[in-house]
Structures are given as structure tokens and as C-alpha cells.
């Protein structure tokens, strides 16, 4: 977080070049002028509610051409579909969707050849994942294995002192069956699977782990945990001074060492063996050079302090999550994991990825919107009984992306590919 003396001095010189200290200080002061009118309507998504919001924006100087771009006739027809997905609706943003594949996956839950839709504005991304997918498929496909699952929510309770905190833990240890029963009143699809305790002074964190079926489960576990917290407040003989339904121990929407070492969402490991001739023909390099790159990049990750060792999981995850109606903010935790390359006999490359925090679902949330549902249907993975397969395909996609980007860097083609595809 620190900044060295030279950089600080140079920054101050740049700032002072725009004005004297008194004028700059005045710009930074709180302003108590009357605010412009607020945006009306909140969760209403009707065309009439959207029109009221646009009238307010137009009054504030937003050009009418902007309204025509963001709110089109088709949006009015779909207005009711947005209910429960957005507040203060004013329109939609279109993103181009590409497809990578076929990607052959040999998994416990995902079996077959998948065409993977990816929504992005970044040139070269789909091309890279597409190339990696074809190499994986021509090698016989990758083995992809779901090894653990569970979505956590971690409420925190504050007590007067450490003794009361200890009494609370002693009481809560015997309440697991009750907690399961209470959680079950809030959902037909999720179950409370485990509970971990963390005591820090007079604070106690209860880390509840849930199985969430085919939903990603973020809202599901929040509602269930709130019900448990309400039950604790009503029945526990040791009264907390206060509590919060999430005390930032679960790892929700952030990279954390805890979820890296365990699981949050679905943990999947995927591997593939790439023959030497295929590496030369399609990736223009060798297993040895790709392993050399992986070794150096792994050390670079250690030196920079990354959690895990990987190249660019976030690229594929963000594009897949956008296309398929997943919670895109969960990329912050999903893009944590480990990539490993090894050179084997006869120039064969062994490549593996392990991602412990894939927050994916095939029902609920954004998967019910028509565009996102359509992308899941391209995969053949919309609806009940498909979430585990989606997780295994997602790991396979990340493996394909790691192979392609590391090959491009190993073959000295990384810059050329971006120049060609992004700059024309």
C-alpha cells in the first residue's frame, strides 16, 4: 500500500501543476448544494416506470440518443422478465457472444463435446479459448472431476467478554440438528451440511456450509443463515450484544486463502495429456518450453504474492459467467486456483488445473433470463441436474485457456496475436 518518495514527489508535482493548494483543497470539500431529483421506481420494471426514470435523466441533460440506445422496443416487450433481477431499470447493454469448441470433457457429470458461449468485448479471448479447446479435444478430451462442494455464509456474534463467547460456542455445538431444521424452512433445494467455529476474543464466527443443489446459492444461503441467526437470538441463553448475518469470514466475492485451501462453491480438478506432434502443429511450441514458461510464471506468482498459481482464469470465467447468467462478481473468488504443467516421455505435456471456488448454477438468478438461458442451452446445461456438469465444463474451459495462453507466450506469438486480432 505504500508509495516511495520519488513517486510521491512526482505525483504531487503533477497535482500542483493544475492549481494552487487552496483551490485544490476547496475542490475536495463536501458540497451541500441541493441534490438533483432522485431516480424513481426502485424495483418496478414496467415500461411506464422506465419512462419515468428516463424523463428524469433527460431533464438532467442526458441526450435522447442515449435513451434510444439503452432502451429499445424489444426491451419494453421483455420488461417483466427483468423483475427480480435489477432495480432502477433504464435499459439493457448488449455484448457480443462468441463460441469456443468443441471442448471434449470426460467427467463424472459432464460427458461429451461442448460448444461454450463466451460474452466479451476483448479481442483474442474467444480465439484463444477456442484454440485451447480444440487441442484438448484432439487429445481425447480432458478428465474433469468435481471433488467437493459447499457454499458458506459466516455470521459473527459479539459478546461482553471471552467467557460469554466460550459459553455461546459450547451451546451452539449441540444445536446442529436444530440449525438444519430451521434452514430447511427457507428452501426446498438447499441443506446445511457443516458448521465451523472461529473464536477471536469476544467474537464468535459461525461458518455455515450449505449444499445448494443446482443453484449457485448465494441468496439461498443468506436467507437460511438469517433464519438460523433469528432462531439463535430467540433461544440462546447467552445473549449476543450484536450480530451480523455475514462477518466477512466466508470469502464471499473475494480471493481468500481459506477458500483456496478448502472449497466455496464447487471444487473441480481437470487434466489432459497433449501429444508432442499436436503441440508442435497446433500450438507451435514444445512441452519443454511450455513447462519452462510455467515454472518461471509459477515463481513470478509466488514473488508477486498471488493466491494460487495460474495465468488468466478470470478471462474465461468472466466471459462464461456473463453469457450464462452467473454472478459475475464471483469471478473474484472463482479465479483462484492452481495450474500445473509437466513434460512427460516422448514430449507429451501433462497439464492440470484445480479451481476450488466455482460459484455456478443452472437454475435461479440470471439463468432464467432468456438470453442467458439460451447460452446454457447451447451447452445443453440449463435446468435441474446440470450444475455439477457445468462446474466440470468450466474447469475444462479454464484448462483450455491456460494451454493456449502459455503456448502463445512460449512460442513468442502472444503479442502478435493481440496485434492481429485487436488492432486489425
Amino acid at each position: 500500500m505504500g508509495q516511495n518518495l520519488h513517486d510521491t514527489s512526482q505525483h504531487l508535482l503533477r497535482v500542483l501543476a493544475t492549481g494552487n493548494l487552496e483551490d485544490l483543497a476547496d475542490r475536495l470539500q463536501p458540497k451541500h448544494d441541493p441534490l438533483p431529483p432522485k431516480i424513481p421506481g426502485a424495483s418496478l420494471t414496467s415500461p411506464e416506470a422506465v419512462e419515468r426514470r428516463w424523463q428524469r435523466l433527460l431533464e438532467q441533460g442526458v441526450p435522447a440518443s442515449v435513451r434510444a440506445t439503452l432502451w429499445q422496443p424489444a426491451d419494453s416487450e421483455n420488461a417483466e422478465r427483468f423483475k427480480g433481477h435489477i432495480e432502477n431499470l433504464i435499459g439493457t447493454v448488449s455484448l457480443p457472444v462468441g463460441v469456443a469448441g468443441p471442448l471434449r470433457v470426460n467427467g463424472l457429470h459432464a460427458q461429451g463435446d461442448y460448444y461454450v458461449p463466451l460474452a466479451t468485448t476483448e479481442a483474442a479471448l474467444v480465439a484463444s479459448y477456442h484454440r485451447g479447446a480444440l487441442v484438448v479435444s484432439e487429445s481425447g478430451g480432458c478428465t474433469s472431476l468435481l471433488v467437493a462442494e459447499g457454499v458458506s455464509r459466516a455470521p459473527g456474534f459479539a459478546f461482553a467478554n471471552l467467557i460469554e463467547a466460550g459459553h455461546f460456542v459450547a451451546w451452539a455445538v449441540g444445536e446442529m440438528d436444530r440449525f438444519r431444521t430451521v434452514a430447511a424452512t427457507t428452501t426446498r433445494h438447499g441443506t446445511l451440511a457443516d458448521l465451523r467455529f472461529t473464536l477471536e476474543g469476544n467474537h464468535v464466527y459461525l461458518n455455515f456450509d450449505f449444499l445448494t443443489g443446482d443453484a449457485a446459492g448465494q441468496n439461498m444461503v443468506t436467507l437460511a443463515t438469517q433464519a438460523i441467526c433469528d432462531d439463535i437470538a430467540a433461544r440462546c441463553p447467552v445473549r449476543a450484544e450484536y450480530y451480523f448475518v455475514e462477518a466477512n469470514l466466508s470469502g464471499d466475492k473475494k480471493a481468500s486463502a481459506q477458500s483456496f485451501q478448502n472449497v466455496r462453491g464447487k471444487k473441480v480438478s481437470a487434466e489432459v495429456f497433449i501429444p508432442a506432434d499436436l503441440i508442435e502443429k497446433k500450438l507451435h511450441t514444445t512441452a519443454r518450453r511450455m513447462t519452462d514458461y510455467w515454472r518461471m510464471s509459477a515463481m513470478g506468482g509466488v514473488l508477486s504474492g498471488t493466491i494460487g498459481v495460474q495465468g488468466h482464469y478470470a478471462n474465461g470465467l468472466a466471459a462464461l459467467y456473463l453469457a450464462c447468467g452467473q454472478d459475475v462478481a464471483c469471478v473474484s473468488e472463482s479465479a483462484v486456483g492452481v495450474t500445473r504443467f509437466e513434460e512427460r516421455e516422448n514430449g507429451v505435456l501433462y497439464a492440470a488445473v484445480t479451481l476450488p471456488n466455482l460459484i455456478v448454477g443452472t437454475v435461479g438468478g440470471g439463468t432464467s433470463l432468456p438470453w442467458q438461458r439460451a447460452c446454457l442451452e447451447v451447452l445443453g446445461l440449463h435446468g435441474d441436474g446440470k450444475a455439477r456438469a457445468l462446474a466440470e465444463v468450466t474447469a475444462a474451459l479454464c484448462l483450455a485457456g491456460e494451454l493456449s495462453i502459455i503456448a502463445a507466450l512460449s512460442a513468442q506469438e502472444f503479442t502478435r496475436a493481440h496485434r492481429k486480432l485487436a488492432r486489425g
Side-chain angles (χ1 to χ4, degrees), residues 247-269:
N248 209 28
L249 187 70
S250 69
D252 186 5
K253 292 184 172 70
K254 59 190 69 67
S256 70
Q258 173 183 259
S259 54
F260 173 62
Q261 293 168 349
N262 296 291
V263 60
R264 191 168 190 280
K266 291 175 170 59
K267 180 177 182 177
V268 186
S269 193

Side-chain angles (χ1 to χ4, degrees), residues 217-242:
Q218 299 281 64
N219 292 334
M220 182 192 300
V221 303
T222 298
L223 295 174
T225 302
Q226 183 65 61
I228 294 171
C229 288
D230 293 343
D231 184 67
I232 289 172
R235 295 190 309 109
C236 183
V238 187
R239 297 291 179 181
E241 293 186 347
Y242 54 87

